[in-house]
Every structure is written in structure tokens, then in C-alpha cells.
Amino acid sequence: MTSEAAVAEAGNLIAAAQSPARSGRTFESRNPAHSHDVVGVFPRSDATDVDDAVRAAQAALRGWRGTPWPARGEIILRAAELLQRDKEALARLMTREMGKVLVEARGDVQEAIDMGIFIAGEGRRAFGETVPSELRHKWAMTMRQPFGVVGCITPWNFPVAIPSWKVFPALMAGNTVVLKPAEDSPACALRFAEILEEAGLPVGVLNVVFGFGEEAGDALVRHPDVKAIFFTGGVATGRLVAEACGRLLKKCSLELGGKNAIVVLADADLELAVDGALWGAFGTAGQRCTAASRLIVERPVLSGFTERLLSRTADLRLGDGLEPGVDVGPVINQSQLGRVHEYTKIGEAEGARRAIGGEIARDGALAEGWFYTPTVFTGVTPAMRIAQEEIFGPTTAVLAVDSLDEALDVANSTRYGLSLSVYTNDLRCAFRAIDELESGIVYVNAPTSGAEIQLPFGGVKDTGNGHREAGGRALDEFSEWKSIYIDHSGRLQRAQIDTYEETRTGSQPSNKVSGQ
Ligand code: UN1
């Protein structure tokens, strides 16, 4: 058990006050390592609570969008400093609430700190353009504008980092926000919002509504005063969000699943590749959109790689991520545990070999939580469901290939395209892979997880709808461009018509240029 005090009953954060759901309903957030440990009790919100939050955000909009960019940036920078101050406590709360081991939870908070520092700089760097007009005495330029009230719907697997990827740039651009965090990590989201409040965010600029997708999330997506939706989650839900937004002509940015692969070529450094495979496959118990759930290995090194991988997998310690020495924590909840186990049965039925793991862990204290033994399937072929579908658990599949061409084809053979990696020391192979792998992120000699916030994050194919988060263009997602023309000629000048009349008609330009 942990020593942390329970968060107890929390409320939705609406206009800086905590309030229960109007229906009075609640839900619990439980520790996946000790399922009897209730981390907190949260409002189970529905459309009426979402409406309250949207009204609060709407009321705060004029003041916030009028706040100078540098002033908005300073609040975000202060939030990053407060996250730094509270990093350890927040990381411990995160491990307790969603299970990832403490060292990874610290990394999650660090990612939010990095994002805050990075985005705060945009306060003095959110450049527009000044461009030449085609007409004399006319000024042409661009500036960013907020959408208005926006909705952010975030998952539990990066419960502070992913809200920071969305909320910081949304606020920086002058939007006001309603955040609906995952029902499995509400306490982390509440702390994140409280930190922004402490940093000086004005009342109503960020509101948090807790609850479930079908009730609170759906209402947020459909609310007529919410101008844009930023969603990270599964493909099936993403499709529903996109359909609803499409019907309403609402902007929407989707960050969905992955079926990422590490390609290990025959010349690779095998120890390095196994280190990467373990981290990619079993970090966060495989519950990352960037998890390496396929290991595509050239046949000459297949047995060497697999032997090392299995022996290292056998050494992984499963347990409560707050305990020192634990490598892999629990999966998020009972239904996910069942789903992961279902995929083990599917893999076996498809004829893959379960080389290690594949069991719900029930030894000693592990029986108190939702633990799954790290699982490796060998003899997997590309068409198998375990090679195609996102499992979101500590399960990975080894596929054998005979050439670089085949490796790239197999790597590209899924509907997803988030993160792909190649291990090789051959420059030509590395560059072929960089060019031909169909994914938003490519790694060379590094695993599929490890994105840094100063680069764009997102994927191709069914992983999303073409948007990218973070990176140098992070604000593009959260703002719209306004083009401004200022004519100081004092007369009507018609674009495309009065433009370069002299050069287009063949008349003597010198007359007009010189005025002679
Ligand atoms: C996710 O899995 O949803 O590169 C995000 C990584 C992390 C972010 C993952 N920095 O794995």
C-alpha cells in the first residue's frame, strides 16, 4: 500500500470553483496496483455540467484573448516552474493513479515542464508575417487568432504530459479551454489544472469536467459554443469524434493509435536493439501509442536477438511502480487486463508461439492489482491480428524477414503510422528506412518511444487526421490565421486588376514608375 492520502471527493473545476455533477453522480479512481485503494471520487458529469463549463469558458474568453501574448506566456512559464516544484509529488500520484513506474511518471511530468517552457516562449515569438503587397501603398500581414472556447479530451497513459501538449498551446493562443480528462486519471488532471490556477490563470480560462466519454466527452464534442476539439485516444472513439465534428463543421485534431515496429537488420548492434525493444515494448506496460508491439527481425540475427530478448524479459520485475526495482507496472484497469489476455488467446489460436508471459499475474501482492506478465510471441506473420491490432498492453510480436525491402513492407503493413524504428549501422539502410517508413516519427538506433516536445508529434494513416502536436508549429493547431490588408494610398486599388497594369498590358512602365 502507499502512504499518500486519498484525494477524497473532488469536484469539476468550473470558473475556479469545485462543484459536484448536477446529477450528484460520482465515480472512483482506483490504483491499478492495489485495486482496493481509492485515489479519489470524482463527479460523473453529463451535458449539463459540460454546458456550465463551456459558459464559464465563454465568459472568460474576451479577457483572456485580449491579454497580451507575453503575459499569457508568463503564466504558462510559472505553471512549468510549479510543475517542477511539485514534480515528485505529482509523479507519485501518477504512479498510484495509473500505474506507470515512478521513473516514467517523473518523465511524464518532465515532458509537461518542457512543453510549458517551450510554449511560454511563444508569448514573445508567435510571429505573423509581413509580406509585400502587389499594390502600391498597401500593407499586407498575418496574425494568429484563437478559435474561442476549445475542448480537450485526453487519455490516461500520459496523464500530465498529454494535457500539457494541448492545454498549454491552446491557452497560449488565447483560447479558453474545457478539459475532459480520462476517467482513469482524474486526480492527475485536477492537480495539473490547480497548478495552472496557482500560476495565475484567470477565472474560467481553464475548466475541467470529469466523467466518461459517452456522457461528458460526447457533450463537449457536440456543444455548439465549442469551436474546436483536440482528442487523443483510440481509433474507434476518434472516428466518432471526427464524424460528429464533421457534421458540425467543427475543427478537430485526432491523435489515435499505433502499431509501431522496431526493425532489426542483420548488421545491427543486438544488445542495443534488445535494450530498445524492452523499453519500447514494456515501458508503461506497453500502454503507449508509441509502444513497440512488433519486432521485425532479419533472419540471420533472429535467434540471437530472440534469445537475448526472452532472457531479458524473464528478468523484468512486475509490481507496484512506487517500489524501487520494479520494471513493469500494472495495466490500467480490469477490462484492459481482460482485453490484453484476449489477445494472447487470439495469438495462440492464430498459430503464433507464446514464447514467454501471456498470463494474468496472481502471485502474492500482484493479485491485488491488474498485472499482466510481459509477453513475447514468436513465429508471428504480418496478417495475424496480433501483428495488426493495437493491444495497448505488455505484449509484443516477433516477425522474421529476409531483406530490408521485406522489413520495410512489413513495417508499413498496418493501418497505423505513428512511430517506426530501425536498428542498423549501415547508413544506406538507415536512409532508405527514413525515407520509406510510413509514419509520423522515425527512429534510427533508438526505440519507438522517446519523442521530444520540440519536434512535431503525430502520425499518418489511421493514427490521426493529419495534425501534429508540439514542435515548432505547435500553435498552428490551436489558432487560425487572419490576413490583414491596410491600404494607405487614399484611392480604390483593385487587387488583380490594377496590379502591374503597366507590365501586363505592355504599356510603358517607366511612365508610371517615374511619374513622367
Ligand atoms: C503516447 O504514447 O500517447 O515518445 C505519447 C513517447 C512519449 C509520448 C508518448 N514522449 O513515447
Side-chain angles (χ1 to χ4, degrees), residues 148-335:
V149 177
V150 302
C152 300
I153 303 177
T154 55
W156 48 265
N157 67 333
F158 279 80
V160 174
I162 292 182
S164 84
W165 295 358
K166 299 188 194 300
V167 172
F168 285 157
L171 295 176
M172 187 69 256
N175 303 283
T176 55
V177 176
V178 177
L179 169 66
K180 204 298 278 179
E183 63 270 22
D184 285 302
S185 58
C188 289
L190 181 59
R191 280 301 300 136
F192 175 71
E194 285 172 344
I195 278 172
L196 268 157
E197 202 170 58
E198 186 184 344
L201 205 63
V203 172
V205 171
L206 170 64
N207 307 276
V208 186
V209 175
F210 298 103
F212 295 84
E214 314 83 65
E215 297 161 1
D218 185 61
L220 185 59
V221 169
R222 291 175 196 280
H223 198 293
D225 294 331
V226 173
K227 301 298 180 212
I229 292 289
F230 302 93
F231 172 82
T232 296
V235 164
T237 313
R239 205 179 293 279
L240 295 174
V241 171
E243 279 169 7
C245 288
R247 214 169 287 282
L248 297 164
L249 295 181
K250 191 175 287 200
K251 312 286 173 294
C252 101
S253 151
L254 305 174
E255 200 56 68
L256 309 176
K259 189 67 187 177
N260 315 291
I262 292 177
V263 170
V264 183
L265 296 181
D267 73 304
D269 176 338
L270 281 195
E271 293 298 338
L272 190 66
V274 170
D275 283 345
L278 287 167
W279 172 241
F282 302 129
T284 321
Q287 303 169 107
R288 294 178 166 182
C289 10
T290 58
S293 55
R294 296 180 299 151
L295 307 171
I296 300 168
V297 187
E298 261 195 312
R299 226 173 277 277
V301 290
L302 181 64
S303 63
F305 174 84
T306 309
E307 275 161 30
R308 283 178 176 80
L309 176 72
L310 294 178
S311 102
R312 296 274 303 278
T313 302
D315 288 342
L316 294 175
R317 217 182 119 208
L318 204 55
D320 180 342
L322 287 171
E323 279 171 27
V326 165
D327 300 299
V328 181
V331 300
I332 188 67
N333 56 37
Q334 191 155 24
S335 94

Side-chain angles (χ1 to χ4, degrees), residues 57-121:
Q58 191 73 52
L61 183 60
R62 177 163 285 139
W64 183 244
R65 76 192 290 288
T67 301
W69 285 72
R72 296 201 295 254
E74 276 179 28
I75 292 173
I76 291 167
L77 184 61
R78 177 89 183 112
E81 288 163 359
L82 296 174
L83 284 167
Q84 184 73 60
R85 180 197 70 189
D86 290 354
K87 180 174 173 179
E88 190 61 18
L90 193 46
R92 294 184 75 82
L93 175 67
M94 187 183 301
T95 298
R96 181 178 169 217
E97 184 168 54
M98 57 66 69
K100 70 169 78 172
V101 297
L102 188 55
V103 66
E104 293 180 36
R106 290 186 187 120
D108 189 307
V109 181
Q110 186 59 48
E111 198 159 340
I113 295 167
D114 297 343
M115 189 68 183
I117 292 170
F118 184 69
I119 288 296

Side-chain angles (χ1 to χ4, degrees), residues 164-503:
S164 84
W165 295 358
K166 299 188 194 300
V167 172
F168 285 157
L171 295 176
M172 187 69 256
N175 303 283
T176 55
V177 176
V178 177
L179 169 66
K180 204 298 278 179
E183 63 270 22
D184 285 302
S185 58
C188 289
L190 181 59
R191 280 301 300 136
F192 175 71
E194 285 172 344
I195 278 172
L196 268 157
E197 202 170 58
E198 186 184 344
L201 205 63
V203 172
V205 171
L206 170 64
N207 307 276
V208 186
V209 175
F210 298 103
F212 295 84
E214 314 83 65
E215 297 161 1
D218 185 61
L220 185 59
V221 169
R222 291 175 196 280
H223 198 293
D225 294 331
V226 173
K227 301 298 180 212
I229 292 289
F230 302 93
F231 172 82
T232 296
V235 164
T237 313
R239 205 179 293 279
L240 295 174
V241 171
E243 279 169 7
C245 288
R247 214 169 287 282
L248 297 164
L249 295 181
K250 191 175 287 200
K251 312 286 173 294
C252 101
S253 151
L254 305 174
E255 200 56 68
L256 309 176
K259 189 67 187 177
N260 315 291
I262 292 177
V263 170
V264 183
L265 296 181
D267 73 304
D269 176 338
L270 281 195
E271 293 298 338
L272 190 66
V274 170
D275 283 345
L278 287 167
W279 172 241
F282 302 129
T284 321
Q287 303 169 107
R288 294 178 166 182
C289 10
T290 58
S293 55
R294 296 180 299 151
L295 307 171
I296 300 168
V297 187
E298 261 195 312
R299 226 173 277 277
V301 290
L302 181 64
S303 63
F305 174 84
T306 309
E307 275 161 30
R308 283 178 176 80
L309 176 72
L310 294 178
S311 102
R312 296 274 303 278
T313 302
D315 288 342
L316 294 175
R317 217 182 119 208
L318 204 55
D320 180 342
L322 287 171
E323 279 171 27
V326 165
D327 300 299
V328 181
V331 300
I332 188 67
N333 56 37
Q334 191 155 24
S335 94
Q336 187 57 20
L337 187 65
R339 184 183 144 89
V340 172
H341 195 48
E342 200 50 46
Y343 272 104
T344 295
K345 292 185 203 153
I346 290 169
E348 287 175 326
E350 288 178 308
R353 179 169 167 267
R354 177 162 61 92
I356 192 166
E359 286 162 351
I360 294 173
R362 295 204 169 88
D363 294 348
L366 296 181
E368 285 178 28
W370 298 303
F371 290 96
Y372 203 74
T373 56
T375 307
V376 178
F377 274 101
T378 55
V380 178
T381 54
M384 288 181 184
R385 287 181 61 192
I386 56 167
Q388 289 293 329
E389 296 174 19
E390 186 175 47
I391 299 173
F392 229 62
T395 301
T396 194
V398 179
L399 297 95
V401 289
D402 286 309
S403 65
L404 172 64
D405 283 343
E406 188 185 354
L408 298 178
D409 286 345
V410 171
N412 290 339
S413 71
T414 75
R415 65 199 281 216
Y416 297 107
L418 181 56
S419 176
L420 294 168
S421 136
V422 62
Y423 278 76
T424 181
N425 289 309
D426 184 328
L427 203 58
R428 287 168 302 175
C429 295
F431 274 89
R432 282 267 323 272
I434 291 168
D435 184 35
E436 293 180 31
L437 287 173
E438 295 170 358
S439 57
I441 306 170
V442 170
Y443 290 93
V444 177
N445 293 332
T448 49
S449 294
E452 303 176 24
I453 57 87
Q454 67 275 23
L455 276 74
F457 183 92
V460 302
K461 303 199 284 190
D462 287 4
T463 288
N465 60 347
H467 293 264
R468 295 289 183 276
E469 297 186 280
R473 310 296 299 267
L475 289 181
D476 285 355
E477 295 291 283
F478 298 93
S479 58
E480 294 194 285
W481 285 109
K482 181 177 274 180
S483 299
I484 303 131
Y485 301 96
I486 304 166
D487 190 322
H488 57 99
S489 70
R491 60 196 166 93
L492 172 67
Q493 298 196 89
R494 297 168 301 174
Q496 295 91 39
I497 294 170
D498 298 330
T499 309
Y500 313 139
E501 200 187 337
E502 56 272 30
T503 50

